[in-house]
Amino acid sequence: MRWRLIRSPALSGAWNMAIDEAMLLAHAAGLTPPTFRLYSWSPPAVSLGLLQPADVVNEPVCRQLGIDLVRRPSGGGAVLHQHEVTYAVVADGRLCPDGSSVLATYRWLARGLMEGLKLLGIDATLPESLWETKTPSRSLSFCFVRLTGADLEVGGRNWAAPLKPDAAFSCSNTAVSRCDWRTKYLPAYSVRFTLTLLPVWNSLQDAVSLPTNSQRRW
Amino acid sequence: MRGFERALKVQFHEGELTEAELQAARLLMEGKYGTREWLLERKVAPNLREELNALFPASDNR
């Protein structure tokens, strides 16, 4: 099956969310094929989950640091988007061979990411059980401290978590799921993880050849 | 990309956003994601839904 691949340059959080939703609406209306969009964020941004209160982040400090704030159309915890490549998938949920439930779709997409990581020499795994969750009691506001049955794990760390789709996105047999591939940038172990993964991120950039802003409109 | 193509059994073909998608993104930027109302209260511009429906008549589940 042919899928459209869109490589976007770095955009603000608000533009990235707007484009993702626009892609979904177009696909649900039958105007576009299944689409895989690669993008990054500039300036860095914290994205809040759909239902999170905005005060889980300190907005004045974010502003001081040049970090944007945006609310996603999907649920989950807050994520700092920096040094990462994000992908958005818009496709008919019936394409997923294991069923079109949210978790089955996550795991299907995660398998693609797992294969890609293998090509970079990283042995990532999916939890055995679809419903396995490992949630520490602290920092629940941050998306990546939680590990669900559809998150990839490298050395016991949740490394690439599909963001939870908004229920409104599962319309007309269309499912959207987004998965962010990013360095771990959480207060407890930010520097070490960032340094550890930086070479991988550079390889990833080379691998996907993201365009510069001057090369593409989006 | 090769990982996804292999695991999902799909073939990627380079493409661009359509004009309708770009227009919808602009509407969503102005009436939703670029606003304080969406960030703080999850409120969208009152006419956004109608404008999007006009762009994508078949999609009414938003």
Side-chain angles (χ1 to χ4, degrees), chain A residues 27 34 90 123-124 130 178 195 202 206:
Chain A
H27 185 65
V90 174
D123 189 20
L130 190 63
R178 291 210 313 280
L195 290 176
N202 288 339
D206 292 341

Side-chain angles (χ1 to χ4, degrees), chain A residues 47-61:
Chain A
S47 74
L48 299 173
L50 177 67
L51 301 176
Q52 277 193 300
D55 61 7
V56 298
V57 293
N58 187 329
E59 192 178 358
V61 169

Side-chain angles (χ1 to χ4, degrees), chain A residues 7 21 59 71 216 218, chain B residues 14 16 22 33 36 39:
Chain A
R7 303 174 195 264
E21 184 168 345
E59 192 178 358
R71 183 179 295 283
R216 282 184 192 275
W218 300 94
Chain B
E14 298 277 349
E16 299 279 351
L22 293 173
Y33 296 106
R36 299 281 299 167
L39 177 67

Side-chain angles (χ1 to χ4, degrees), chain B residues 2-43:
Chain B
R2 276 178 293 157
F4 276 99
E5 285 185 316
R6 193 181 301 171
L8 273 54
K9 298 183 174 61
V10 299
Q11 289 176 316
F12 290 128
H13 293 269
E14 298 277 349
E16 299 279 351
L17 295 171
T18 64
E19 279 307 317
E21 286 173 314
L22 293 173
Q23 204 176 332
R26 281 185 211 108
L27 292 173
L28 286 159
M29 181 69 186
E30 288 164 14
K32 188 171 177 180
Y33 296 106
T35 68
R36 299 281 299 167
E37 287 76 14
W38 172 252
L39 177 67
L40 301 178
E41 303 168 56
R42 286 185 287 133
K43 286 185 180 163

Side-chain angles (χ1 to χ4, degrees), chain A residues 8 13 24 27 59 68 74 87 114-115 122 127 150 163 183 187 192-193 199-200 202 214:
Chain A
S8 298
L24 177 79
H27 185 65
E59 192 178 358
D68 256 4
S74 54
Y87 70 80
M114 209 159 63
E115 283 289 323
I122 298 168
L163 301 178
T183 54
R192 188 172 62 80
F193 250 83
V200 173
N202 288 339
S214 61

